[in-house]
Amino acid sequence: MPYADTAETARRWTTERAVDLWAIFAGDLAPEVIEALRPSLAAVRADGARIALVGPGGSAVGPEAAAADLVVDGPAAPSPFGLFAALEAARVGDARRLGLLGGSVAALEAGHRAGAGAIVGLTGADPALRRPLLFGQPDAIVEPAGFAGLDAERWASKRSHRERVLLNPGPSVVTDRIHRAIAGPDLCHREPEYPALFSAVRSKLLRVAGVDDDWAVALIGGSGTAAMEAMTGALVRPGRKLLVCQNGVYGERIATIAGRLGIEVVPVTAPHTIPIAPAAVAAALDAGDLIDALAIVHHETTTGLLNPVAEIAALADARGVPVITDAISSFGAEELRIPGSGLDIVAGTSNKCLHGLPGVAFLLISPRAQARAAEVPPRSLYFDIPNYLKAQAKRTVPFTPATPAIYALDAALDELFDEGLEQRRAHYRARMAYLDRELARLGLEPIVAPEHRSGSVRSLPLPAGVSYEALHDAVKRDGYVIYAGLGTAAATNFRVCALGALEIDALSGFIASLERALANVTLSGSVA
């Protein structure tokens, strides 16, 4: 499966089957199974797939051969070479577009050895019949008459669950490298292999951040909000207050979290399209002697707006106030100078600009923040930062980590270094520059001024008479997923984002789809 490299890739993802060739080994399926399978094979064939029968030395004859589109001379299971011969005969160049139908463990194992993209066991509904096939590790076991339904759900041209070009603000489309990484070995987190994995990820995150080894890293199983909640309760001592900069849904979320943790909030607000004013922050800091920490969102994903984090952190640092920062949708893509900036905790997640997969969030924690957090009575069990750091000192973790997502994050960080951090940022800027030009050509102007826009998210007004739902559904039919506005903007705005393994040529297909959709607006507000 390629990443979102071209408009043609998006078209294929949207219109084509995932499995082009289903293979059966001669003699593997009983005659009654072949007979029960015939209607399903006809349905699959009508959707564009072909059926190959693999048998050595002309042994593929009778009802089996009659059910197939091509008969291939090749070795029997468990050898994978007969399946390779079928791929060659059918001129299918990618083993991942091969499916294997098997009634024995040997046949299923041959599918695995050939790298088949789908492996299905065929037998009756009785678990006593199905249990033996589990040793062949199929993707599914189904009765022969039910195969067409399974194919329609998972691999057919009109399946609903399929790859699309995600233009939402995370999770993002990722490369095969990342998908393969999550298939790492099953791992007990109490064994020494897990601390080694954690240590590697920690070093790479610190390298991206540009900070020294005296900074700590906490990996937390969950979405970015898990990291946000952990940092919000970490630095404010009892009886003191948290200054929260709020000019979007995510700043407001920090304030909500603080309230639920029993922390009094001092708000500094601005409209959702305007950055937080450093002067307003300075005034609030000087007016309140009980402010124990300051919270600010670097990239307000609500609108695609960047806040002046460096300037605000410097003001807080000059007053001895530590700063916690939501960099969940900016870390890895936006400029964020951390060393010596006054930033003390930076929250991020694996599945946005780092191009990992959902399931693990992280905190980068300065020495000053580590010391302060140790003074604060814990407000949570799962989100107690000192508990994570104490466990790390013993080369363990307090709770079961999301190991597959951490494998993916480790691979994604390697991929980032292979690309180069500056090149990654430049690629983000180039993609958004393309989108800005093309959206302007279509008469769509982002609601945030150019000088305050991020390199990944645009919030756009819906044209008159166009509902978000209709626009979303129109471009989704072409393989592109956009995102609704947040908060008060949900009824009036939509968002287009460019995160992940995504090339400009794929965006050109989206622009063409969007242009068609807007040209087909009806008076009822629907899109043809």
Side-chain angles (χ1 to χ4, degrees):
M1 179 188 71
Y3 66 94
D5 53 351
T6 67
E8 174 59 19
T9 296
R11 186 203 64 76
R12 289 200 308 271
W13 284 351
T14 305
T15 62
E16 294 185 1
R17 293 181 51 85
V19 170
D20 295 325
L21 180 69
W22 286 102
I24 300 167
F25 281 103
D28 182 61
L29 300 176
E32 62 271 20
V33 173
I34 291 290
E35 188 60 33
L37 188 60
R38 280 181 177 277
S40 285
L41 295 182
V44 169
R45 187 179 289 112
D47 190 54
R50 285 183 289 171
I51 315 301
L53 182 63
V54 179
S59 64
V61 295
E64 290 179 315
D69 299 299
L70 62 158
V71 176
V72 179
D73 184 16
S79 170
F81 295 104
L83 299 179
F84 296 146
L87 284 168
E88 185 174 17
R91 297 190 177 181
V92 175
D94 187 342
R96 293 171 296 184
R97 301 184 75 85
L98 167 71
L100 185 282
L101 298 175
S104 66
V105 170
L108 301 177
E109 287 179 344
H112 284 292
R113 292 171 182 172
I119 299 173
V120 176
L122 297 174
T123 191
D126 188 342
L129 298 172
R130 295 187 171 212
R131 280 194 296 272
L133 289 185
L134 292 175
F135 292 97
Q137 301 183 71
D139 299 313
I141 301 175
V142 67
E143 294 181 72
F147 170 61
L150 178 67
D151 179 83
E153 176 189 337
R154 298 194 184 184
W155 302 291
S157 62
K158 292 183 171 29
R159 66 194 183 279
S160 60
H161 195 77
R162 65 194 312 140
E163 194 74 22
R164 292 182 172 90
V165 179
L166 301 183
L167 302 177
N168 52 277
S172 56
V173 173
V174 301
T175 63
D176 279 357
R177 178 177 185 170
I178 309 308
H179 287 294
R180 287 194 298 270
I182 64 170
D186 299 326
L187 180 61
C188 174
H189 56 287
R190 302 301 181 194
E191 295 297 309
E193 292 81 8
Y194 178 77
L197 173 63
F198 170 82
S199 179
V201 171
R202 175 185 179 275
S203 296
K204 293 167 189 176
L205 287 171
L206 295 181
R207 179 179 167 189
V208 176
V211 297
D212 293 333
D213 195 55
D214 56 356
W215 280 63
V217 173
L219 297 182
I220 301 174
S223 69
T225 301
M228 186 187 291
E229 183 158 339
M231 76 173 184
T232 300
L235 302 187
V236 181
R237 292 166 289 192
R240 305 201 181 192
K241 303 174 184 178
L242 177 66
L243 189 155
V244 182
C245 299
Q246 302 175 47
N247 59 340
V249 167
Y250 294 96
E252 293 161 4
R253 182 174 295 182
I254 292 175
T256 298
I257 292 170
R260 300 216 178 162
L261 295 175
I263 300 170
E264 186 175 347
V265 168
V266 175
V268 174
T269 63
H272 284 194
T273 58
I274 304 297
I276 296 292
V281 173
L285 288 169
D286 293 338
D289 58 0
L290 292 179
I291 293 174
D292 222 20
L294 181 152
I296 185 167
V297 176
H298 182 211
H299 175 215
E300 255 299 351
T301 325
T302 310
T303 56
L305 177 145
L306 291 173
N307 277 312
V309 166
E311 190 174 350
I312 288 171
L315 291 170
D317 190 46
R319 293 160 173 80
V321 176
V323 177
I324 61 176
T325 307
D326 169 355
I328 289 167
S329 62
S330 64
F331 190 79
E334 304 289 348
E335 295 287 345
L336 181 63
R337 188 179 64 84
I338 299 175
S341 65
L343 298 176
D344 286 284
I345 302 182
V346 177
T349 187
S350 61
N351 64 303
K352 295 187 186 289
C353 302
L354 292 181
H355 305 183
L357 294 173
V360 60
F362 58 85
L363 295 172
L364 308 174
I365 310 161
S366 74
R368 176 168 69 171
Q370 295 168 48
R372 169 66 70 81
E375 300 176 26
V376 177
R379 295 180 166 93
S380 168
L381 174 65
Y382 192 70
F383 298 129
D384 179 10
I385 290 176
N387 196 28
Y388 282 85
L389 304 187
K390 289 173 186 175
Q392 287 176 30
K394 299 175 182 178
R395 292 186 61 77
T396 186
V397 286
F399 310 105
T400 304
T403 303
I406 296 171
Y407 281 141
L409 175 58
D410 187 44
L413 289 165
D414 286 340
E415 190 173 67
L416 171 59
F417 297 137
D418 290 341
E419 180 182 355
L421 184 56
E422 290 307 315
Q423 177 58 31
R424 169 72 58 85
R425 291 171 177 163
H427 189 44
Y428 267 70
R429 291 192 297 270
R431 290 188 305 205
M432 295 315 292
Y434 169 80
L435 281 176
D436 283 342
R437 288 194 304 270
E438 291 300 304
L439 292 169
R441 181 177 63 80
L442 299 180
L444 297 170
E445 181 66 21
I447 64 174
V448 171
E451 63 271 23
H452 303 313
R453 295 173 188 167
S454 75
S456 60
V457 176
R458 293 291 181 266
S459 183
L460 303 149
L462 285 162
V466 179
S467 70
Y468 168 73
E469 291 77 12
L471 190 61
H472 168 274
D473 292 352
V475 297
K476 187 175 181 179
R477 286 193 291 271
D478 289 335
Y480 300 91
V481 175
I482 58 175
Y483 217 55
L486 278 177
T488 58
T492 58
N493 293 352
F494 71 103
R495 286 179 289 170
V496 176
C497 315
L499 292 77
L502 175 64
E503 298 296 335
I504 288 175
D505 192 52
L507 292 175
S508 70
F510 163 68
I511 291 295
S513 174
L514 181 63
E515 189 167 12
R516 284 192 300 271
L518 294 175
N520 289 321
V521 175
T522 68
L523 293 177
S524 64
S526 65
V527 179

